[in-house]
């Protein structure tokens, strides 16, 4: 396990903390791998999993430095980790503060339950750098919020604040600032005392019913994102972001 991901286990509940505060918990291949390993390990003995960041941020998305260097997250592997979180046979909770943006948004939506701080928000910021949503977001958002709200998030890259996320069906509940982890721990502690077989069957059945397009979405996103990453628009989007200026897209 890398230091970019911390784990703690208490009374059957594993808490997985993204630990890159200097970058608002931007995700690297190593941190995604650490999350996947922690969830897989929890599945062998824990009764619930919490995925969280710190009070400033859940995750600001993929580390753009990796994009500049050409590596990125490794989308195929990231998709497999998102799928593993959805499929794990114990309940999962995202405790969200600050931004859950880009693939950080996908990571939160992959969980069975999402507790959001009232000061937090979800955001599909991909279009700001000439990309499209990935990490299954094209299916995960639409499954919970519907087509037009998914389109709005993808095309405008606007923040969806916690109150609206709850109204849209993207969040499970909203709590006071700084209390999201405490509330998630309360819920997870209850689940840890509940019927694990029933929970496993319920989450699997609901996911099978509502996420029928997820694997197709992974495939489309991988193909189309690979193309977009080869374009001049992507290079311009990243350069503009790094230089703190408005991008000039040409459609090439």
């Amino acid at each position: 396990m890398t230091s970019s991901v911390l784990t703690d286990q208490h009374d059957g509940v594993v808490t997985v903390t993204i630990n890159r505060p200097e970058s608002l918990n931007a995700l690297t291949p190593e941190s995604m791998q650490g999350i996947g390993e922690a969830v897989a390990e929890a599945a062998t003995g824990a009764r619930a999993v919490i995925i969280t960041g710190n009070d400033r941020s859940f995750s600001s998305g993929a580390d753009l430095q990796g994009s500049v260097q050409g590596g990125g997250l490794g989308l195929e592997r990231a998709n497999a980790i998102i799928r593993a979180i959805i499929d794990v046979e114990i309940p999962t909770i995202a405790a969200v503060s600050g931004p859950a943006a880009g693939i950080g948004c996908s990571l939160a939506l992959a969980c069975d339950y999402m507790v959001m701080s009232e000061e937090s928000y979800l955001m599909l910021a991909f279009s700001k750098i000439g990309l499209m949503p990935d990490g299954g977001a094209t299916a995960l958002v639409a499954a919970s919020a519907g087509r037009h709200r998914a389109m709005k998030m993808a095309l405008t890259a606007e923040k969806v604040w916690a109150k609206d996320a709850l109204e849209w069906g993207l969040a499970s509940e909203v709590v006071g600032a700084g209390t999201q982890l405490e509330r998630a721990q309360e819920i997870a502690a209850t689940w840890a005392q509940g019927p694990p077989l029933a929970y496993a069957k319920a989450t699997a059945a609901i996911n099978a019913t509502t996420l029928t397009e997820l694997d197709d979405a992974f495939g489309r996103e991988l193909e189309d994102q690979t193309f977009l990453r080869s374009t001049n628009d992507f290079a311009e989007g990243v350069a503009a972001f790094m230089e703190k200026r408005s991008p000039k897209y040409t459609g090439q």
Side-chain angles (χ1 to χ4, degrees):
M1 201 71 61
T2 68
S3 60
S4 63
V5 175
L6 305 177
T7 62
D8 176 73
Q9 182 164 350
H10 181 71
D11 290 342
V13 177
V14 170
T15 300
V16 182
T17 303
I18 306 166
N19 183 42
R20 302 191 72 233
E22 73 285 353
S23 62
L24 292 179
N25 294 324
L27 294 164
T28 63
E30 293 75 22
S31 55
M32 280 298 290
Q33 183 69 23
I35 293 166
E37 290 174 359
V39 171
E41 184 176 343
T44 65
R47 301 283 287 271
V49 175
I50 299 169
I51 301 178
T52 193
N54 53 35
D55 280 344
R56 288 188 64 213
S57 176
F58 178 78
S59 171
S60 57
D63 188 340
L64 275 183
Q65 187 61 43
S67 296
V68 171
Q69 295 170 348
L73 268 181
L75 187 53
E76 195 165 8
R77 180 58 183 153
N79 287 345
I81 292 168
I82 295 288
R83 167 54 87 179
I85 292 169
I86 291 168
D87 288 346
V88 70
E89 293 187 344
I90 55 177
T92 55
I93 308 177
V96 176
S97 55
I103 199 163
C105 181
S106 299
L107 184 65
L109 289 169
C111 294
D112 300 316
Y113 202 94
M114 191 192 307
V115 179
M116 295 186 70
S117 159
E118 62 188 0
E119 297 180 348
S120 66
Y121 60 88
L122 307 178
M123 184 182 187
L124 297 181
F126 299 90
S127 64
K128 289 181 176 291
I129 55 169
L131 294 178
M132 63 175 286
D134 60 28
T138 57
L140 291 166
V141 175
S144 293
R147 174 174 174 262
H148 284 104
R149 282 169 170 165
M151 287 289 190
K152 182 176 182 179
M153 289 183 70
L155 299 179
T156 68
E158 293 176 353
K159 298 173 182 178
V160 179
W161 291 96
K163 179 177 178 294
D164 290 329
L166 181 64
E167 180 184 337
W168 289 12
L170 295 169
S172 305
E173 59 181 271
V174 176
V175 297
T179 67
Q180 68 284 341
L181 180 55
E182 179 183 358
R183 176 58 181 152
Q185 290 169 334
E186 291 174 355
I187 297 166
T190 299
W191 287 346
Q193 300 301 315
L197 297 178
Y199 290 156
K201 295 299 183 184
T203 55
I206 292 169
N207 286 333
T209 299
T210 58
L211 297 178
T212 57
E213 298 297 317
L214 182 59
D215 288 332
D216 287 342
F218 283 146
R220 283 190 296 268
E221 292 168 359
L222 178 60
E223 179 179 356
D224 294 344
Q225 201 75 299
T226 299
F227 162 72
L228 290 170
R229 288 178 62 86
S230 72
T231 64
N232 292 335
D233 275 356
F234 170 65
E236 167 64 8
V238 172
F241 178 86
M242 293 297 186
E243 295 165 11
K244 295 181 171 53
R245 60 174 174 83
S246 297
K248 298 178 181 179
Y249 294 124
T250 62
Q252 296 180 323

